[in-house]
Amino acid sequence: ISKTSQPSKSDLIRYKLWLQQQYRSPYTGEVIKLSKLFTSAYEIEHIIPQSRYFDDSLSNKVICEAAVNKEKSNQTGLEFIKNHHGQIIETGSGQKVKIFSEDTYQDFVKQHYNKNRGKRNKLLMEDIPVKMIERQLNDTRYISKFVMQLLSNIVREENNKDDGTNSKNVLASNGQITSSLKTDWGLNDMWNDLILPRFERLNELTKTENFTTYNERFQKYLPSVPIEFQKGFQKKRIDHRHHAMDALVIACATRNHINYLNNQNALDKKKSKEQKQVAREDLRAVLCDKKYNNGSDQNYKWIFKQPWETFVVDAKNKLETTIVSFKQNIRVINKTTNKYQKYVEKDGKWLKEKVVQTQGESWAIRKPMHKDTVAGHVNLRDKKTVNLSAAIDRWEFLVDKNLKTKIKQLINEGFDKKKIAKFFANNEYKWMNKDVSKPELYYFSDEKEILVASRINLNSSFNNTKIESITDTGIQKILIRHLELNQNNPELAFSPEGIEEMNKNLKTLNDGKPHLPILKVRTYEPKGNKFNVGNSGNKKDKFVEAAKGTNLFFAIYQDENGKRSYETIPLNIVIERQKEGLASVPEKNEKGYSLLFFLSPNDLVYVPSVDEQANPHQINFKALKKEQVRSIYKFTDCSDMLANFIPANISSLIFNKNKSDQQKLGINYPIQNEFGVGSPQSKNQNSIDGIQIKSVCWKLRVDRLGNITL
């Protein structure tokens, strides 16, 4: 069975898990009906979340209600029970389930998973096992040791003065050491000042003061986020420049710093703080200063001296002018080398060897050609009322067969259009006792636009409008009647239970005629951005859509007067051009505009001011000012004529919630995310100052050393 397209691999896994857990959900004990197992009502869930420890084996998977899986989120099975025991969760269509109590859950797991020890242990696991963590630590240790040996060969001193395997110019540090140095050197406070403008801007956009907090001790505002967004939020990781700050700390750390901190951590835990400080007085005297608290001569602690007097100021100035660049990975195709086995004569013996193919050439495509769903071309027929004169021009498409036959007869007798119209006028526009002044004509969708159709599962999104997009008018009538019987509520009518109920009453809904069960329907839509799979055979009638992440080239064209035009080059066009040895982007567009430049994801652009647009050569890209660095944006993605950008240093958004998510959290802000307008993603066509970026931007070129030029 598994070698066929139906059932899919995912369906097989669902079925196997369903059998293993004896048809019941592990967190609620509810029976999972086979009729619902393969619907969206249930999902495959990881007992130990993959985000905390990657384990994609069957022993770490169960089937449970989709709503329960969403509530479980990033918790282990037992953590979820402890935090949510007794909670009532709505699963849709008015159905509710109750989460097990801890005792009931443990009894249930021990009873139903007694023959599957691995899964039982994971379901009852309170914490991620130490062995798992130890394995990761051992991997990290081995990698670190191996990398140190490689780097030692590069920075080893002359005449082999280094002792041991590793060079003394290579130091091994860890996150705890750099964290201590950042705190003592004041870089954490500097980082707060560096990112504060983003939080202040969010206050203005949300018309609140939720994103800053006033600190009495430091007498200044500090970045903050509301409690609703604090899960998983880290101030350090919202800006790419934290990598530069970490590199600065590591560069300024010495062997003495590392030895001192390692000794402090390695000392007997039973010793007091004073005893630990005395342990390495020699290093402490060199590296540390006393810092007194509240002016007291007795209350003090030892902190590391700064590398130089103006270290924090210099670090902030340098980070403010640091330009983040990104590695490009836009390889689309490349030639492959195929090998095959053949017998080759060597020293009088025939041996089988692999030989490189020399005839022909093969191309490997490094991006997905299109989405998995394939849509077929459909030419739908409908009716429209026209006047008699227009009907005579297209008499072959008349709905009235008697009128169609008569017009055909008159044409065969030599009547032209004028005489035919006069004939019916003399008969008072009557034929076979019917008014033919405004007859009905058949027309086909291809006359207006190309339509494509694909089969999809029937679900709760099918309202009256979507039902009209079904190609089969008979199924349309059945679904509309069923929807009316369910108070025009799609969630009720086309839930798994609603579909089951509809299929039981198909004969009634279909005017007493039998009908096969309806689980999938064929819906149509305009061709839009879809393109043909091929040019011959039935491939020319199959249409597909570009896969996510394959819009790799956004072309900006310009005419003689400087007017810009924009176009996203589809992947299939790029592949054809590259195979022919042409540039990925055409030099001219359909309007005759010349290519100014093209952008690919992660490319940097500069948004010039009005003065800079007039005098571009006055900008020194080797020494940009702080304000100029803020005008550098990263190109993220594109579609048709739309191009989205984000400030180059932004790593992740502080605020990114659509309206429905805000309602769940009990908040209501006038924006959906930090930069984009009306979009829950990090997309925006305008700069922070409101300038449309694509209309004025310049493309920046970054070499492998980070040097920037136009």
Side-chain angles (χ1 to χ4, degrees):
I1 295 174
S2 61
K3 292 181 181 178
T4 63
S5 59
Q6 291 290 338
S8 66
K9 182 180 178 181
S10 175
D11 288 342
L12 288 170
I13 292 173
R14 281 178 181 248
Y15 185 66
K16 190 171 183 178
L17 293 173
W18 181 69
L19 293 175
Q20 285 181 351
Q21 58 197 61
Q22 300 178 29
Y23 330 121
R24 297 181 69 181
S25 171
Y27 305 120
T28 62
E30 297 291 332
V31 174
I32 302 173
K33 294 181 180 179
L34 181 58
S35 59
K36 296 182 182 179
L37 176 62
F38 303 104
T39 68
S40 58
Y42 290 89
E43 293 178 348
I44 297 175
E45 191 272 323
H46 288 80
I47 303 167
I48 302 175
Q50 285 185 291
S51 59
R52 294 174 64 179
Y53 182 79
F54 185 81
D55 180 3
D56 200 37
S57 65
L58 279 178
S59 66
N60 193 39
K61 293 177 180 177
V62 290
I63 292 285
C64 74
E65 297 85 354
V68 173
N69 186 23
K70 186 176 181 181
E71 188 70 30
K72 180 177 177 287
S73 185
N74 199 33
Q75 303 171 80
T76 65
L78 190 56
E79 282 177 350
F80 173 62
I81 296 297
K82 287 184 175 181
N83 296 332
H84 298 271
H85 58 85
Q87 181 176 335
I88 306 296
I89 296 178
E90 294 186 2
T91 58
S93 306
Q95 301 293 320
K96 297 179 181 179
V97 294
K98 184 178 181 181
I99 305 300
F100 275 138
S101 66
E102 187 176 345
D103 292 338
T104 308
Y105 171 74
Q106 292 193 3
D107 292 340
F108 180 85
V109 170
K110 290 174 183 176
Q111 179 183 349
H112 285 77
Y113 297 87
N114 60 333
K115 294 182 180 180
N116 192 337
R117 186 172 61 181
K119 187 169 290 189
R120 181 191 64 197
N121 292 341
K122 288 176 181 177
L123 284 165
L124 298 177
M125 187 183 295
E126 294 197 31
D127 298 309
I128 297 176
V130 175
K131 286 184 179 179
M132 293 183 179
I133 299 170
E134 283 180 352
R135 192 185 80 184
Q136 292 175 320
L137 288 174
N138 287 332
D139 290 345
T140 305
R141 291 187 187 110
Y142 177 78
I143 293 168
S144 301
K145 184 178 180 180
F146 186 76
V147 170
M148 284 187 70
Q149 292 176 3
L150 291 176
L151 294 175
S152 294
N153 296 329
I154 301 172
V155 297
R156 202 177 294 281
E157 290 193 354
E158 295 181 6
N159 302 323
N160 199 22
K161 293 181 181 180
D162 288 322
D163 296 327
T165 306
N166 296 329
S167 169
K168 64 182 182 183
N169 293 321
V170 179
L171 304 179
S173 180
N174 58 47
Q176 188 175 357
I177 291 173
T178 54
S179 178
S180 297
L181 292 174
K182 274 191 294 186
T183 302
D184 286 2
W185 286 348
L187 292 182
N188 287 336
D189 295 332
M190 179 274 295
W191 185 255
N192 284 333
D193 295 338
L194 195 69
I195 63 175
L196 183 62
R198 285 179 64 184
F199 292 82
E200 292 175 335
R201 180 174 175 273
L202 269 176
N203 277 347
E204 296 176 7
L205 293 174
T206 59
K207 297 178 174 57
T208 65
E209 295 183 356
N210 294 342
F211 293 89
T212 55
T213 181
Y214 188 76
N215 187 286
E216 293 290 346
R217 179 184 171 191
F218 296 107
Q219 296 292 301
K220 64 178 182 180
Y221 283 95
L222 297 177
S224 175
V225 292
I227 193 169
E228 301 90 26
F229 310 137
Q230 287 181 4
K231 184 178 180 180
F233 176 79
Q234 294 181 3
K235 282 190 294 186
K236 174 186 172 183
R237 302 198 178 276
I238 64 172
D239 195 305
H240 285 300
R241 291 174 294 182
H242 77 267
H243 297 294
M245 181 174 67
D246 288 343
L248 175 63
V249 173
I250 292 169
C252 293
T254 65
R255 189 178 294 276
N256 284 340
H257 287 105
I258 295 171
N259 285 343
Y260 180 74
L261 286 169
N262 284 341
N263 283 326
Q264 291 295 308
N265 292 326
L267 289 172
D268 189 349
K269 294 181 180 179
K270 295 180 180 179
K271 290 186 178 181
S272 65
K273 180 180 177 182
E274 291 74 16
Q275 289 173 317
K276 287 182 179 181
Q277 290 177 345
V278 172
R280 288 303 302 267
E281 290 183 348
D282 54 338
L283 284 178
R284 190 186 65 196
V286 174
L287 300 174
C288 302
D289 284 330
K290 285 182 180 180
K291 182 179 180 181
Y292 294 93
N293 295 329
N294 302 324
S296 171
D297 293 337
Q298 302 296 325
N299 190 6
Y300 68 88
K301 64 178 181 178
W302 292 93
I303 66 168
F304 286 110
K305 298 176 183 178
Q306 292 190 0
W308 59 86
E309 190 174 342
T310 58
F311 174 74
V312 176
V313 176
D314 293 345
K316 185 181 179 184
N317 291 336
K318 185 55 67 175
L319 286 174
E320 285 179 329
T321 55
T322 295
I323 300 169
V324 179
S325 61
F326 303 86
K327 181 181 178 181
Q328 279 288 11
N329 182 23
I330 55 172
R331 184 174 58 168
V332 177
I333 62 172
N334 64 279
K335 288 186 178 180
T336 60
T337 302
N338 290 334
K339 294 182 180 180
Y340 64 97
Q341 287 186 331
K342 66 177 289 188
Y343 281 99
V344 179
E345 187 177 5
K346 284 188 176 181
D347 301 328
K349 295 182 179 180
W350 289 91
L351 303 173
K352 185 180 282 189
E353 289 188 355
K354 286 187 177 180
V355 180
V356 177
Q357 179 181 330
T358 55
Q359 295 181 350
E361 60 181 11
S362 298
W363 293 95
I365 299 172
R366 298 300 180 183
K367 300 289 180 182
M369 288 285 289
H370 52 76
K371 289 182 180 178
D372 294 338
T373 303
V374 178
H377 171 237
V378 289
N379 190 13
L380 300 178
R381 190 181 74 173
D382 207 344
K383 300 176 185 178
K384 61 180 176 182
T385 303
V386 297
N387 57 40
L388 182 61
S389 177
I392 294 171
D393 291 332
R394 301 189 62 189
W395 61 270
E396 300 95 334
F397 301 102
L398 280 165
V399 176
D400 189 334
K401 292 182 179 180
N402 293 324
L403 179 60
K404 178 180 177 180
T405 302
K406 184 59 183 176
I407 293 177
K408 182 179 180 181
Q409 178 190 340
L410 293 174
I411 291 173
N412 291 335
E413 292 175 3
F415 280 55
D416 59 13
K417 179 180 177 181
K418 191 174 182 180
K419 288 182 178 180
I420 294 173
K422 187 176 180 181
F423 171 82
F424 286 106
N426 292 336
N427 287 279
E428 297 181 350
Y429 296 105
K430 298 280 187 182
W431 185 251
M432 303 291 286
N433 298 321
K434 286 186 179 180
D435 183 7
V436 295
S437 60
K438 289 187 177 182
E440 283 188 320
L441 274 183
Y442 287 121
Y443 74 94
F444 295 88
S445 57
D446 276 359
E447 299 174 23
K448 185 177 181 181
E449 61 181 339
I450 295 176
L451 299 179
V452 294
S454 57
R455 289 181 64 79
I456 62 173
N457 288 318
L458 188 61
N459 54 48
S460 58
S461 66
F462 277 82
N463 52 22
N464 280 297
T465 304
K466 193 167 181 178
I467 290 173
E468 290 175 1
S469 69
I470 297 174
T471 57
D472 190 318
T473 54
I475 292 178
Q476 279 188 25
K477 293 175 182 176
I478 292 172
L479 297 187
I480 288 173
R481 287 172 181 171
H482 178 63
L483 185 61
E484 289 173 350
L485 291 173
N486 286 272
Q487 304 169 353
N488 287 317
N489 184 350
E491 291 188 0
L492 186 63
F494 302 117
S495 64
E497 295 81 4
I499 295 172
E500 187 177 351
E501 184 66 25
M502 177 190 71
N503 285 322
K504 288 179 181 178
N505 302 310
L506 274 179
K507 194 170 183 179
T508 305
L509 295 170
N510 196 31
D511 296 328
K513 301 174 186 176
H515 198 287
L516 292 174
I518 303 172
L519 299 174
K520 286 189 173 184
V521 292
R522 192 172 70 149
T523 60
Y524 67 87
E525 61 180 346
K527 178 175 78 72
N529 294 326
K530 294 182 175 65
F531 55 90
N532 305 74
V533 174
N535 299 317
S536 60
N538 62 0
K539 289 184 178 179
K540 66 180 184 297
D541 292 326
K542 292 182 178 180
F543 293 84
V544 289
E545 193 174 355
K548 183 179 180 182
T550 58
N551 286 341
L552 302 175
F553 297 94
F554 182 73
I556 298 181
Y557 295 93
Q558 185 172 274
D559 67 2
E560 297 176 353
N561 300 320
K563 182 181 177 182
R564 292 188 176 187
S565 177
Y566 315 100
E567 183 180 350
T568 296
I569 312 299
L571 180 67
N572 59 312
I573 302 296
V574 174
I575 292 171
E576 289 297 328
R577 291 183 62 85
Q578 289 192 4
K579 284 175 65 177
E580 295 172 9
L582 302 174
S584 302
V585 178
E587 292 293 329
K588 297 275 187 180
N589 68 357
E590 293 180 353
K591 297 179 181 178
Y593 291 12
S594 299
L595 179 67
L596 183 62
F597 57 83
F598 64 83
L599 297 173
S600 295
N602 290 334
D603 276 344
L604 299 182
V605 298
Y606 183 77
V607 182
S609 63
V610 177
D611 293 337
E612 289 171 338
Q613 292 177 43
N615 303 290
H617 298 293
Q618 294 183 4
I619 303 175
N620 181 9
F621 282 99
K622 292 183 178 179
L624 291 175
K625 300 175 183 177
K626 298 175 186 177
E627 296 75 18
Q628 292 175 317
V629 171
R630 294 191 190 106
S631 297
I632 295 177
Y633 287 77
K634 180 182 74 170
F635 174 71
T636 57
D637 60 9
C638 58
S639 176
D640 295 329
M641 294 188 293
L642 303 178
N644 296 301
F645 301 84
I646 195 169
N649 61 293
I650 302 301
S651 173
S652 61
L653 301 184
I654 302 169
F655 173 70
N656 185 20
K657 298 289 181 185
N658 57 32
K659 291 295 182 185
S660 61
D661 288 340
Q662 289 189 40
Q663 289 173 0
K664 291 176 184 176
L665 294 171
I667 55 176
N668 186 22
Y669 293 145
I671 62 169
Q672 293 191 30
N673 79 67
E674 185 179 353
F675 292 102
V677 179
S679 167
Q681 300 157 353
S682 56
K683 296 182 177 182
N684 194 16
Q685 296 189 69
N686 299 330
S687 69
I688 292 176
D689 299 324
I691 301 171
Q692 189 185 56
I693 297 174
K694 68 179 181 182
S695 63
V696 298
C697 68
W698 302 334
K699 182 178 180 179
L700 299 179
R701 305 187 187 280
V702 186
D703 65 17
R704 297 181 71 177
L705 297 177
N707 299 314
I708 294 179
T709 55
L710 275 179

Short mmCIF file of all heavy atoms in Angstrom, two decimals, residues 587-619:
data_model
loop_
_atom_site.label_atom_id
_atom_site.label_comp_id
_atom_site.label_asym_id
_atom_site.label_seq_id
_atom_site.Cartn_x
_atom_site.Cartn_y
_atom_site.Cartn_z
N GLU A 587 17.54 42.16 -20.09
CA GLU A 587 18.07 43.52 -20.11
C GLU A 587 16.99 44.55 -20.41
O GLU A 587 17.14 45.72 -20.07
CB GLU A 587 19.19 43.63 -21.16
CG GLU A 587 20.45 42.85 -20.83
CD GLU A 587 21.15 43.43 -19.62
OE1 GLU A 587 21.08 44.64 -19.40
OE2 GLU A 587 21.79 42.65 -18.87
N LYS A 588 15.91 44.14 -21.08
CA LYS A 588 14.80 45.03 -21.41
C LYS A 588 13.50 44.38 -20.98
O LYS A 588 13.36 43.16 -21.02
CB LYS A 588 14.74 45.29 -22.92
CG LYS A 588 15.97 45.99 -23.51
CD LYS A 588 15.86 47.49 -23.38
CE LYS A 588 17.00 48.17 -24.12
NZ LYS A 588 16.92 49.65 -24.00
N ASN A 589 12.54 45.20 -20.56
CA ASN A 589 11.21 44.65 -20.25
C ASN A 589 10.27 44.89 -21.42
O ASN A 589 10.68 45.42 -22.47
CB ASN A 589 10.68 45.23 -18.94
CG ASN A 589 10.36 46.72 -19.05
OD1 ASN A 589 10.58 47.35 -20.08
ND2 ASN A 589 9.84 47.28 -17.97
N GLU A 590 9.01 44.53 -21.27
CA GLU A 590 8.06 44.63 -22.37
C GLU A 590 7.82 46.08 -22.80
O GLU A 590 7.48 46.35 -23.95
CB GLU A 590 6.72 43.99 -21.97
CG GLU A 590 6.81 42.48 -21.77
CD GLU A 590 5.50 41.87 -21.37
OE1 GLU A 590 4.54 42.65 -21.11
OE2 GLU A 590 5.41 40.63 -21.30
N LYS A 591 8.02 47.02 -21.88
CA LYS A 591 7.83 48.44 -22.20
C LYS A 591 9.05 49.03 -22.91
O LYS A 591 9.01 50.19 -23.33
CB LYS A 591 7.55 49.23 -20.92
CG LYS A 591 6.28 48.83 -20.21
CD LYS A 591 6.11 49.66 -18.94
CE LYS A 591 4.84 49.27 -18.19
NZ LYS A 591 4.69 50.04 -16.93
N GLY A 592 10.13 48.25 -22.99
CA GLY A 592 11.34 48.78 -23.60
C GLY A 592 12.26 49.49 -22.62
O GLY A 592 13.27 50.07 -23.03
N TYR A 593 11.93 49.44 -21.31
CA TYR A 593 12.78 50.06 -20.31
C TYR A 593 14.06 49.24 -20.14
O TYR A 593 14.06 48.02 -20.30
CB TYR A 593 12.08 50.15 -18.96
CG TYR A 593 10.91 51.13 -18.90
CD1 TYR A 593 10.36 51.68 -20.06
CD2 TYR A 593 10.33 51.47 -17.68
CE1 TYR A 593 9.29 52.56 -19.99
CE2 TYR A 593 9.25 52.34 -17.61
CZ TYR A 593 8.74 52.87 -18.78
OH TYR A 593 7.68 53.74 -18.71
N SER A 594 15.15 49.90 -19.81
CA SER A 594 16.44 49.23 -19.60
C SER A 594 16.57 48.80 -18.14
O SER A 594 16.08 49.48 -17.23
CB SER A 594 17.59 50.16 -19.96
OG SER A 594 17.52 50.53 -21.32
N LEU A 595 17.26 47.67 -17.93
CA LEU A 595 17.46 47.15 -16.57
C LEU A 595 18.38 48.08 -15.79
O LEU A 595 19.51 48.35 -16.21
CB LEU A 595 18.06 45.74 -16.62
CG LEU A 595 18.35 45.08 -15.28
CD1 LEU A 595 17.05 44.78 -14.54
CD2 LEU A 595 19.15 43.80 -15.46
N LEU A 596 17.90 48.59 -14.67
CA LEU A 596 18.72 49.43 -13.79
C LEU A 596 19.54 48.54 -12.86
O LEU A 596 20.76 48.65 -12.78
CB LEU A 596 17.82 50.38 -12.99
CG LEU A 596 18.51 51.38 -12.07
CD1 LEU A 596 19.39 52.33 -12.88
CD2 LEU A 596 17.48 52.19 -11.28
N PHE A 597 18.87 47.64 -12.15
CA PHE A 597 19.52 46.61 -11.34
C PHE A 597 18.44 45.62 -10.90
O PHE A 597 17.25 45.87 -11.09
CB PHE A 597 20.26 47.19 -10.12
CG PHE A 597 19.40 48.00 -9.19
CD1 PHE A 597 18.62 47.39 -8.21
CD2 PHE A 597 19.37 49.39 -9.27
CE1 PHE A 597 17.84 48.12 -7.35
CE2 PHE A 597 18.59 50.14 -8.41
CZ PHE A 597 17.82 49.51 -7.45
N PHE A 598 18.85 44.51 -10.35
CA PHE A 598 17.89 43.55 -9.81
C PHE A 598 18.28 43.21 -8.38
O PHE A 598 19.44 43.33 -7.98
CB PHE A 598 17.79 42.28 -10.67
CG PHE A 598 19.04 41.46 -10.73
CD1 PHE A 598 19.34 40.55 -9.73
CD2 PHE A 598 19.93 41.60 -11.79
CE1 PHE A 598 20.49 39.79 -9.77
CE2 PHE A 598 21.09 40.85 -11.84
CZ PHE A 598 21.38 39.94 -10.83
N LEU A 599 17.29 42.78 -7.61
CA LEU A 599 17.49 42.45 -6.20
C LEU A 599 17.14 40.99 -5.95
O LEU A 599 16.19 40.47 -6.53
CB LEU A 599 16.63 43.34 -5.31
CG LEU A 599 16.91 44.85 -5.35
CD1 LEU A 599 15.85 45.60 -4.55
CD2 LEU A 599 18.29 45.16 -4.82
N SER A 600 17.91 40.36 -5.09
CA SER A 600 17.62 39.01 -4.62
C SER A 600 17.51 39.06 -3.10
O SER A 600 18.05 39.98 -2.47
CB SER A 600 18.74 38.05 -5.03
OG SER A 600 18.78 37.93 -6.44
N PRO A 601 16.79 38.10 -2.48
CA PRO A 601 16.66 38.12 -1.02
C PRO A 601 18.01 38.24 -0.32
O PRO A 601 18.99 37.61 -0.71
CB PRO A 601 16.00 36.76 -0.72
CG PRO A 601 15.20 36.47 -1.95
CD PRO A 601 16.02 37.00 -3.09
N ASN A 602 18.06 39.10 0.71
CA ASN A 602 19.24 39.42 1.52
C ASN A 602 20.14 40.47 0.89
O ASN A 602 21.16 40.82 1.48
CB ASN A 602 20.07 38.17 1.86
CG ASN A 602 19.38 37.25 2.82
OD1 ASN A 602 18.54 37.69 3.61
ND2 ASN A 602 19.69 35.97 2.78
N ASP A 603 19.78 40.97 -0.30
CA ASP A 603 20.54 42.09 -0.86
C ASP A 603 20.28 43.35 -0.04
O ASP A 603 19.17 43.54 0.50
CB ASP A 603 20.14 42.35 -2.32
CG ASP A 603 20.88 41.45 -3.29
OD1 ASP A 603 21.90 40.85 -2.88
OD2 ASP A 603 20.45 41.34 -4.45
N LEU A 604 21.28 44.22 0.04
CA LEU A 604 21.15 45.48 0.77
C LEU A 604 20.91 46.62 -0.21
O LEU A 604 21.47 46.65 -1.31
CB LEU A 604 22.41 45.77 1.59
CG LEU A 604 22.80 44.76 2.67
CD1 LEU A 604 24.03 45.22 3.42
CD2 LEU A 604 21.65 44.53 3.65
N VAL A 605 20.07 47.56 0.21
CA VAL A 605 19.82 48.76 -0.58
C VAL A 605 19.98 49.99 0.32
O VAL A 605 19.83 49.90 1.54
CB VAL A 605 18.41 48.76 -1.22
CG1 VAL A 605 18.25 47.60 -2.17
CG2 VAL A 605 17.32 48.75 -0.16
N TYR A 606 20.29 51.10 -0.32
CA TYR A 606 20.42 52.36 0.41
C TYR A 606 19.30 53.28 -0.03
O TYR A 606 19.04 53.44 -1.23
CB TYR A 606 21.78 52.99 0.12
CG TYR A 606 22.05 54.26 0.89
CD1 TYR A 606 22.39 54.22 2.23
CD2 TYR A 606 21.94 55.50 0.28
CE1 TYR A 606 22.62 55.38 2.95
CE2 TYR A 606 22.18 56.67 0.98
CZ TYR A 606 22.52 56.61 2.32
OH TYR A 606 22.75 57.76 3.03
N VAL A 607 18.61 53.89 0.94
CA VAL A 607 17.52 54.82 0.64
C VAL A 607 18.05 56.23 0.81
O VAL A 607 18.21 56.72 1.93
CB VAL A 607 16.32 54.57 1.58
CG1 VAL A 607 15.18 55.52 1.23
CG2 VAL A 607 15.85 53.13 1.50
N PRO A 608 18.39 56.90 -0.30
CA PRO A 608 19.02 58.22 -0.20
C PRO A 608 18.03 59.33 0.14
O PRO A 608 16.83 59.23 -0.17
CB PRO A 608 19.61 58.43 -1.59
CG PRO A 608 18.70 57.64 -2.49
CD PRO A 608 18.22 56.47 -1.69
N SER A 609 18.55 60.37 0.75
CA SER A 609 17.73 61.57 0.99
C SER A 609 17.61 62.34 -0.32
O SER A 609 18.24 61.97 -1.34
CB SER A 609 18.38 62.44 2.05
OG SER A 609 19.64 62.90 1.61
N VAL A 610 16.84 63.40 -0.32
CA VAL A 610 16.65 64.19 -1.54
C VAL A 610 17.98 64.78 -2.01
O VAL A 610 18.31 64.76 -3.20
CB VAL A 610 15.62 65.32 -1.29
CG1 VAL A 610 15.49 66.20 -2.53
CG2 VAL A 610 14.27 64.72 -0.93
N ASP A 611 18.79 65.30 -1.06
CA ASP A 611 20.10 65.87 -1.42
C ASP A 611 21.04 64.79 -1.94
O ASP A 611 21.80 65.01 -2.89
CB ASP A 611 20.73 66.55 -0.20
CG ASP A 611 19.94 67.78 0.23
OD1 ASP A 611 19.22 68.34 -0.62
OD2 ASP A 611 20.03 68.17 1.42
N GLU A 612 21.00 63.61 -1.33
CA GLU A 612 21.88 62.52 -1.76
C GLU A 612 21.50 62.01 -3.14
O GLU A 612 22.36 61.56 -3.90
CB GLU A 612 21.85 61.39 -0.74
CG GLU A 612 22.54 61.73 0.57
CD GLU A 612 22.33 60.69 1.65
OE1 GLU A 612 21.35 59.92 1.55
OE2 GLU A 612 23.14 60.65 2.59
N GLN A 613 20.20 62.06 -3.48
CA GLN A 613 19.79 61.64 -4.82
C GLN A 613 20.38 62.54 -5.89
O GLN A 613 20.73 62.09 -6.98
CB GLN A 613 18.26 61.65 -4.92
CG GLN A 613 17.57 60.59 -4.08
CD GLN A 613 16.06 60.68 -4.16
OE1 GLN A 613 15.49 60.87 -5.23
NE2 GLN A 613 15.39 60.54 -3.03
N ALA A 614 20.51 63.83 -5.55
CA ALA A 614 21.09 64.78 -6.51
C ALA A 614 22.61 64.68 -6.57
O ALA A 614 23.22 64.96 -7.60
CB ALA A 614 20.67 66.20 -6.14
N ASN A 615 23.25 64.26 -5.46
CA ASN A 615 24.72 64.20 -5.40
C ASN A 615 25.17 62.85 -4.82
O ASN A 615 25.69 62.78 -3.72
CB ASN A 615 25.27 65.33 -4.53
CG ASN A 615 24.83 66.70 -5.02
OD1 ASN A 615 25.25 67.17 -6.06
ND2 ASN A 615 23.93 67.33 -4.25
N PRO A 616 24.98 61.76 -5.57
CA PRO A 616 25.30 60.44 -5.02
C PRO A 616 26.78 60.21 -4.76
O PRO A 616 27.14 59.42 -3.89
CB PRO A 616 24.78 59.49 -6.11
CG PRO A 616 24.74 60.30 -7.36
CD PRO A 616 24.42 61.69 -6.93
N HIS A 617 27.65 60.92 -5.52
CA HIS A 617 29.09 60.67 -5.38
C HIS A 617 29.68 61.32 -4.14
O HIS A 617 30.85 61.10 -3.83
CB HIS A 617 29.81 61.16 -6.63
CG HIS A 617 29.38 60.44 -7.88
ND1 HIS A 617 29.63 59.10 -8.10
CD2 HIS A 617 28.66 60.88 -8.96
CE1 HIS A 617 29.12 58.75 -9.27
NE2 HIS A 617 28.53 59.81 -9.81
N GLN A 618 28.88 62.13 -3.45
CA GLN A 618 29.39 62.77 -2.22
C GLN A 618 29.30 61.84 -1.00
O GLN A 618 29.82 62.17 0.06
CB GLN A 618 28.61 64.06 -1.96
CG GLN A 618 28.84 65.14 -3.00
CD GLN A 618 28.11 66.43 -2.67
OE1 GLN A 618 27.47 66.53 -1.63
NE2 GLN A 618 28.20 67.41 -3.56
N ILE A 619 28.66 60.69 -1.17
CA ILE A 619 28.51 59.76 -0.05
C ILE A 619 29.76 58.89 0.04
O ILE A 619 30.18 58.28 -0.95
CB ILE A 619 27.28 58.87 -0.23
CG1 ILE A 619 26.01 59.72 -0.38
CG2 ILE A 619 27.12 57.91 0.95
CD1 ILE A 619 24.77 58.92 -0.69
#
